[in-house]
Amino acid sequence: MSENIPAVQQFETLLQGNHVAPDSLARMLQELAYQDYGLFFTNLSKVPKDLLAEVILALPLSLFKEAVSMLPHKKLADVISYLESDKATDFIQRLERVEPQVREAIYPLLHPKQQEQISRLSQYRSDEAGAYMQTELLWATTGEHIAEIKEKLKVFKKHKAEMPLIKLFVTDKEGHLVATVHFSDLLLFEDEKTLAEVIDALPSHKSLSVRDHTLITEVTKLFREFDLAMVAVVDSENRLQGCIVFDDIYDLIFAEEEAQAFKMSGTKQEAEEESLLSAQRHRLKWIFINLGAILIAASVVNFFRETIEQLVALAVLMPVIAALGGNVGNQAVTVTVRRLALGETSWQYAKEILSKEIYIGVINGVIIGLIVGTVAYFWFQIPMLGVVIGLAIIINLSIAGLLGSLLPLTFKHFDIDPAIASPLLLTTATDAIGFFVFLGLAKIMLF
Amino acid sequence: MSENIPAVQQFETLLQGNHVAPDSLARMLQELAYQDYGLFFTNLSKVPKDLLAEVILALPLSLFKEAVSMLPHKKLADVISYLESDKATDFIQRLERVEPQVREAIYPLLHPKQQEQISRLSQYRSDEAGAYMQTELLWATTGEHIAEIKEKLKVFKKHKAEMPLIKLFVTDKEGHLVATVHFSDLLLFEDEKTLAEVIDALPSHKSLSVRDHTLITEVTKLFREFDLAMVAVVDSENRLQGCIVFDDIYDLIFAEEEAQAFKMSGTKQEAEEESLLSAQRHRLKWIFINLGAILIAASVVNFFRETIEQLVALAVLMPVIAALGGNVGNQAVTVTVRRLALGETSWQYAKEILSKEIYIGVINGVIIGLIVGTVAYFWFQIPMLGVVIGLAIIINLSIAGLLGSLLPLTFKHFDIDPAIASPLLLTTATDAIGFFVFLGLAKIMLF
């Protein structure tokens, strides 16, 4: 029966392929779970055991929970043993969160060496480089000969076939990082040379390293700026602790960007993935926060009740003011948040951003103001109403440009993430100010 | 005098450092340009010539134009010669766009080999893998011995010191890709072995390759899914054309994400970078498109003018309806657009997204509706008004959840980018529907 289901066929084709990406398998399983939990479980059991833990780790949190609850403890401990240290730590921490009893039961079943790695990596906060490093790496001391390295390499390749090998880390006898050497460099030296000799012969052997407590966002920046493939992670005394590799960086860049997109709308990826309930609650929190601001905007309108009573056309045009202010303000917010994400913060830069956004707000305000003013004139046949809405749009869009850049800049100045719900707050601010300007002008100029 | 300016000092410190990232230098120069064009030019001239072209390429388009206009043609051709083929092509294409005469003048001054590379790479569309590949790469045929490879490697390292060396591409005599071999693998074989023997001895030597006409977004997905460091690019007959390397992928992932964020707000990165005028025009275009929709929302209000005349409190509560609908709808849009970006498109998946968003919309609608209904009751002392606004919010937020997911899903179904201005269109749609529901309910229930 299951042969008729295209998703199952696709899943099996993926499994038979030469290159199996755990992410793709996880995504197919997720699709199957939407159709039928039974299909999810039967196909999960088809995944080879050396990939299984990685596939489970790539599932959304709710399915992760299902998968780990289904597997016998011994099997679970077995499949975790195939994970690299950073992923094993991630797996155990996630287990701690969703199934603490399972975590308690399987932890003692792990190899003592893996336990030791996990407990070491667990000490790092989730925003520190240490939390993302692999502790399995090929390293050697300056006294070793090329011939010895070749032997080490053979052993390493046998046990860690999946690990990317780009550079060899070289330390002194106490484990302090001395250099990193490309394998293509080693190829050019004779077996009897020591690493110290190799390093001396190479024009530039110095390598960038990062501290284990460095923020991971700084590390991803470093990878992008210096086109790194791999970087050593050292402790405060420059002792080699592990390394961070390009493949983690792909996911980190993607995750950082994704987190920002979510934040801007008052949502949160972890909450969305955890469960329907947590997604709903996290979103509600931001709407609550914004609700206060919305009621202020409503109070502004309330203040002008008599004016609206005199001319209801004003109420008809209010949504135009609000929507345009929100549009223009959010364009400014998006552009400013992205520019701030690139790291510029000087006063000169802020001045440049502000003047750009105000300029665009004024120009587009004048163009749109003239158009809407004309439309309103023909619609309601009240010349002065056209002038009032036109003026109000010019003023409101100029303020929207100002606020759209000032809001993220101010957040950044006080070290608050400028992406957090900026568009939500901005929309309400331009609503309140826009209504005040529009209804205020109407009160003065129309009656 | 310039010693007093911190940005100049920073710039000079960067230049003296061991590792100079062209991106950082370009960013510092940009800061200097905001302060003073003179500072920009004097510091640009301090950049070493082997980095200069890359730094200029990393500048925003307006400063790129300034920089290329300032440099003598011979110098410009000279610094371009230090670029890898993909970047050289990018440079010439950008020059074509902003200074066609300069492009005409310097192109003949380039090395014939570089001209040939550029004209080959220029044939690819900017969304194809071929446009992002480097044609400089180390390759060898199956008949070559390890000793020969070592000689090739020495020459390559001398001339292309900056190129990352991770894998050796192996082809047959006609240039068809046969395998890719890690340098760490080569280290374990004797000088007299041929590559054919090496390949036979390795457990798994098959490698992923991509077609030159494959979409670059597919390639970045491949890098992420399979944790690739480097991939060969082949033509329709599997002949090796070039390779794409991890460092390009960092920038591509970042650029794809950035483009999406911009698109969602109706802005465009290229337009923002090109000039103030192009930024302002591109933003205006989207506001124009939205303006039509906004006027429809205003017409809905106009339809209920008499109802508002009877009770102006309705006008006071209208902004609450609009802002809440926009907030909830945009949360749904953001989450849905991100999920669609991950590639799921099946009907099962769409159903799952829709039901999730409607569920959250209903729950949060009920909670917020009850709160606002109570507030409105105490504020205006009209019990039925509380009921009307409460009910309207419940209905509107449910619809916002539905629309917030349906809109991107529909775009995706018709192969339109779901990110394009979805939030703009959504906000206006929830405005119009929200006003219709709220004022319609008021008309029926209040009078």
Side-chain angles (χ1 to χ4, degrees):
Chain A
M1 194 214 102
S2 78
E3 279 72 24
N4 293 323
I5 297 170
V8 172
Q9 280 177 356
Q10 257 185 287
F11 185 80
E12 282 168 354
T13 314
L14 263 184
L15 267 184
Q16 282 151 17
N18 262 330
H19 298 276
V20 188
D23 285 2
S24 314
L25 290 177
R27 203 145 60 236
M28 295 296 306
L29 285 167
Q30 198 182 342
E31 288 258 346
L32 290 174
Y34 293 139
Q35 298 176 35
D36 180 347
Y37 265 89
L39 281 178
F40 169 72
F41 286 123
T42 48
N43 282 283
L44 185 67
S45 64
K46 289 180 199 158
V47 178
K49 67 175 180 177
D50 59 330
L51 282 179
L52 187 54
E54 214 171 329
V55 171
I56 293 176
L57 197 56
L59 290 170
L61 212 53
S62 54
L63 289 177
F64 174 89
K65 196 179 148 131
E66 300 285 345
V68 294
S69 320
M70 182 203 70
L71 288 172
H73 292 171
K74 239 183 135 171
K75 169 106 192 238
L76 197 54
D78 182 37
V79 301
I80 291 173
S81 73
Y82 290 94
L83 289 176
E84 288 159 16
S85 52
D86 55 340
K87 292 202 167 147
T89 308
D90 200 6
F91 199 106
I92 292 296
Q93 286 174 339
R94 207 169 285 200
L95 205 52
E96 175 90 61
R97 222 168 115 201
V98 297
E99 288 283 355
Q101 303 95 320
V102 177
R103 189 244 178 243
E104 288 312 311
I106 66 138
Y107 196 73
L109 303 177
L110 298 178
H111 191 283
K113 208 172 157 185
Q114 198 173 27
Q115 287 187 26
E116 192 262 325
Q117 285 171 343
I118 292 172
S119 83
R120 187 147 70 88
L121 290 184
S122 299
Q123 289 164 8
Y124 294 106
R125 289 205 324 264
S126 67
D127 62 350
E128 290 180 336
Y132 296 86
M133 70 184 181
Q134 297 169 356
T135 56
E136 305 89 344
L137 72 179
L138 191 61
W139 58 276
T141 57
T142 43
E144 290 182 75
H145 296 89
I146 298 279
E148 292 171 83
I149 309 296
K150 288 184 181 175
E151 284 313 309
K152 269 195 175 174
L153 188 57
K154 273 183 207 160
V155 177
F156 192 84
K157 275 184 183 287
K158 199 185 277 170
H159 294 288
K160 305 277 172 192
E162 294 301 310
M163 295 278 298
L165 280 167
I166 300 165
K167 290 175 179 181
L168 176 72
F169 296 100
V170 186
T171 67
D172 63 16
K173 276 179 202 149
E174 288 78 37
H176 301 100
L177 182 68
V178 175
T180 57
V181 183
H182 275 276
F183 284 103
S184 63
D185 285 324
L186 292 181
L187 202 55
L188 304 180
F189 290 88
E190 306 299 313
D191 274 4
E192 55 278 6
K193 294 275 186 196
T194 65
L195 280 176
E197 289 170 301
V198 170
I199 293 168
D200 280 343
L202 290 173
S204 148
H205 57 76
K206 258 204 168 171
S207 70
L208 281 174
S209 61
V210 296
R211 274 289 315 279
D212 48 0
H213 291 297
T214 303
L215 286 179
I216 189 67
T217 48
E218 294 300 315
V219 179
T220 52
K221 259 189 211 157
L222 221 59
F223 266 81
R224 281 193 62 209
E225 293 217 344
F226 294 99
D227 295 343
L228 302 178
M230 202 174 206
V231 79
V233 182
V234 296
D235 67 9
S236 58
E237 283 159 51
N238 196 36
R239 277 180 307 231
L240 184 63
Q241 301 294 307
C243 70
I244 295 178
V245 184
F246 60 88
D247 58 339
D248 297 315
I249 297 299
Y250 301 147
D251 295 337
L252 280 168
I253 295 177
F254 189 80
E256 282 172 16
E257 293 301 304
E258 186 153 56
Q260 195 185 51
F262 273 91
K263 256 184 284 182
M264 286 187 69
S265 70
T267 52
K268 192 178 170 188
Q269 196 185 7
E270 290 90 330
E272 294 295 325
E273 281 188 357
E274 191 159 330
S275 69
L276 208 50
L277 187 68
S278 66
Q280 176 260 318
R281 283 192 180 165
H282 188 269
R283 294 196 201 179
L284 184 61
K285 195 183 87 184
W286 278 106
I287 300 171
F288 261 138
I289 292 173
N290 206 27
L291 185 60
I294 292 173
L295 291 174
I296 295 175
S299 307
V300 171
V301 181
N302 193 48
F303 181 75
F304 290 101
R305 259 163 93 168
E306 283 174 30
T307 312
I308 299 172
E309 241 154 30
Q310 286 177 271
L311 184 65
V312 176
L314 294 174
V316 175
L317 292 173
M318 273 167 46
V320 179
I321 291 281
L324 287 175
N327 280 186
V328 170
N330 274 327
Q331 290 181 331
V333 163
T334 302
V335 173
T336 306
V337 165
R338 299 300 317 184
R339 291 178 74 173
L340 288 176
L342 292 175
E344 291 93 345
T345 44
S346 74
W347 166 237
Q348 289 295 338
Y349 194 74
K351 222 172 66 183
E352 201 269 341
I353 289 183
L354 273 175
S355 53
K356 172 184 170 182
E357 295 304 332
I358 295 172
Y359 172 84
I360 294 183
V362 171
I363 300 290
N364 287 349
V366 169
I367 297 172
I368 299 282
L370 285 173
I371 294 171
V372 176
T374 312
V375 170
Y377 163 67
F378 283 109
W379 193 355
F380 299 102
Q381 299 291 333
I382 306 170
M384 211 49 187
L385 182 60
V387 175
V388 166
I389 181 101
L391 264 181
I393 286 175
I394 295 172
I395 297 171
N396 192 34
L397 298 203
S398 309
I399 294 175
L402 168 72
L403 278 186
S405 45
L406 197 58
L407 207 67
L409 280 167
T410 310
F411 280 164
K412 178 94 183 181
H413 182 76
F414 290 107
D415 254 340
I416 303 167
D417 185 339
I420 278 203
S422 277
L424 262 70
L425 297 176
L426 173 105
T427 313
T428 329
T430 53
D431 275 10
I433 297 173
F435 295 147
F436 183 79
V437 171
F438 175 50
L439 299 172
L441 280 178
K443 193 176 178 173
I444 299 168
M445 296 173 70
L446 279 174
F447 311 109
Chain B
M1 193 213 102
S2 78
E3 278 71 26
N4 291 324
I5 298 170
V8 173
Q9 281 178 355
Q10 258 183 285
F11 185 80
E12 282 169 354
T13 315
L14 265 183
L15 268 184
Q16 282 152 17
N18 264 331
H19 299 275
V20 188
D23 286 3
S24 315
L25 289 178
R27 205 146 60 237
M28 294 297 305
L29 285 167
Q30 199 181 342
E31 288 257 345
L32 290 174
Y34 293 140
Q35 298 175 36
D36 179 346
Y37 266 88
L39 282 179
F40 168 71
F41 286 123
T42 49
N43 281 283
L44 185 67
S45 64
K46 289 180 198 157
V47 178
K49 68 176 181 177
D50 57 330
L51 282 178
L52 186 54
E54 214 172 329
V55 171
I56 293 176
L57 197 58
L59 290 170
L61 212 54
S62 55
L63 289 177
F64 174 89
K65 195 178 149 135
E66 300 284 345
V68 295
S69 320
M70 183 204 68
L71 287 173
H73 292 170
K74 241 182 133 170
K75 171 104 192 242
L76 197 54
D78 182 38
V79 300
I80 291 173
S81 73
Y82 291 94
L83 289 176
E84 288 159 15
S85 53
D86 55 339
K87 291 202 168 148
T89 309
D90 200 6
F91 199 107
I92 293 295
Q93 287 174 338
R94 207 168 285 199
L95 205 52
E96 176 91 59
R97 222 168 115 202
V98 296
E99 288 283 355
Q101 302 97 320
V102 177
R103 190 245 179 242
E104 288 311 310
I106 66 137
Y107 196 72
L109 303 177
L110 299 177
H111 192 283
K113 208 172 156 187
Q114 199 173 25
Q115 287 189 26
E116 192 263 324
Q117 285 171 343
I118 292 172
S119 82
R120 187 149 69 88
L121 290 184
S122 298
Q123 291 165 5
Y124 294 106
R125 288 204 324 263
S126 68
D127 61 349
E128 290 179 337
Y132 296 86
M133 70 184 181
Q134 296 169 357
T135 55
E136 305 89 345
L137 73 178
L138 192 60
W139 58 277
T141 57
T142 43
E144 291 182 74
H145 297 89
I146 299 279
E148 292 172 85
I149 310 295
K150 288 185 181 176
E151 284 313 308
K152 268 195 176 174
L153 188 57
K154 273 183 207 161
V155 176
F156 193 84
K157 276 186 182 283
K158 200 185 276 174
H159 294 289
K160 305 277 174 193
E162 293 301 310
M163 294 278 299
L165 280 166
I166 300 165
K167 289 175 179 181
L168 177 70
F169 296 99
V170 185
T171 67
D172 62 17
K173 275 180 204 151
E174 287 79 37
H176 300 100
L177 183 69
V178 175
T180 58
V181 183
H182 275 276
F183 284 102
S184 63
D185 285 324
L186 292 181
L187 203 54
L188 304 179
F189 291 88
E190 305 299 313
D191 274 5
E192 54 278 4
K193 294 275 186 197
T194 65
L195 280 177
E197 290 171 300
V198 170
I199 292 169
D200 281 343
L202 289 174
S204 147
H205 57 78
K206 256 204 170 172
S207 70
L208 282 173
S209 61
V210 296
R211 273 292 312 282
D212 47 1
H213 291 297
T214 303
L215 285 180
I216 189 66
T217 49
E218 294 301 315
V219 179
T220 54
K221 258 189 212 158
L222 221 59
F223 266 80
R224 281 193 62 209
E225 294 216 345
F226 294 99
D227 296 343
L228 302 178
M230 203 173 205
V231 78
V233 182
V234 296
D235 66 10
S236 58
E237 284 158 52
N238 196 36
R239 278 181 307 229
L240 183 64
Q241 301 295 306
C243 70
I244 295 178
V245 183
F246 61 86
D247 57 338
D248 297 314
I249 297 300
Y250 301 148
D251 294 337
L252 280 168
I253 295 177
F254 189 80
E256 281 172 16
E257 292 302 303
E258 185 152 56
Q260 195 185 50
F262 273 90
K263 256 184 287 181
M264 286 186 70
S265 69
T267 53
K268 192 178 171 190
Q269 196 184 7
E270 290 90 329
E272 294 294 324
E273 280 188 358
E274 191 159 331
S275 68
L276 206 51
L277 186 69
S278 66
Q280 174 259 319
R281 282 192 179 163
H282 187 269
R283 293 197 203 177
L284 183 61
K285 195 183 87 186
W286 278 107
I287 300 172
F288 260 138
I289 292 173
N290 206 29
L291 185 58
I294 293 174
L295 291 175
I296 295 174
S299 306
V300 171
V301 180
N302 192 47
F303 182 75
F304 292 102
R305 256 163 95 167
E306 282 174 30
T307 313
I308 298 172
E309 242 154 29
Q310 285 178 271
L311 184 65
V312 176
L314 294 174
V316 175
L317 291 173
M318 273 167 46
V320 179
I321 291 281
L324 286 174
N327 280 185
V328 169
N330 274 327
Q331 289 180 332
V333 163
T334 302
V335 173
T336 306
V337 166
R338 299 301 316 187
R339 291 178 75 174
L340 289 177
L342 291 175
E344 293 92 344
T345 44
S346 74
W347 167 237
Q348 289 295 338
Y349 193 73
K351 221 172 67 183
E352 201 270 341
I353 289 183
L354 273 174
S355 54
K356 173 184 170 183
E357 294 304 332
I358 295 172
Y359 171 83
I360 294 183
V362 171
I363 300 290
N364 287 349
V366 170
I367 296 172
I368 298 281
L370 285 174
I371 294 170
V372 176
T374 313
V375 170
Y377 164 67
F378 284 108
W379 192 354
F380 299 103
Q381 300 290 334
I382 306 170
M384 211 49 186
L385 183 59
V387 176
V388 166
I389 181 101
L391 264 182
I393 286 174
I394 295 172
I395 297 171
N396 193 34
L397 298 203
S398 309
I399 294 175
L402 168 71
L403 278 187
S405 44
L406 196 59
L407 207 66
L409 281 167
T410 310
F411 280 164
K412 179 95 184 180
H413 182 76
F414 290 107
D415 252 341
I416 303 168
D417 184 338
I420 278 203
S422 279
L424 261 70
L425 296 176
L426 172 105
T427 313
T428 329
T430 53
D431 275 11
I433 296 173
F435 294 146
F436 183 80
V437 171
F438 175 50
L439 298 173
L441 281 178
K443 194 177 179 174
I444 299 167
M445 296 173 68
L446 279 175
F447 309 108

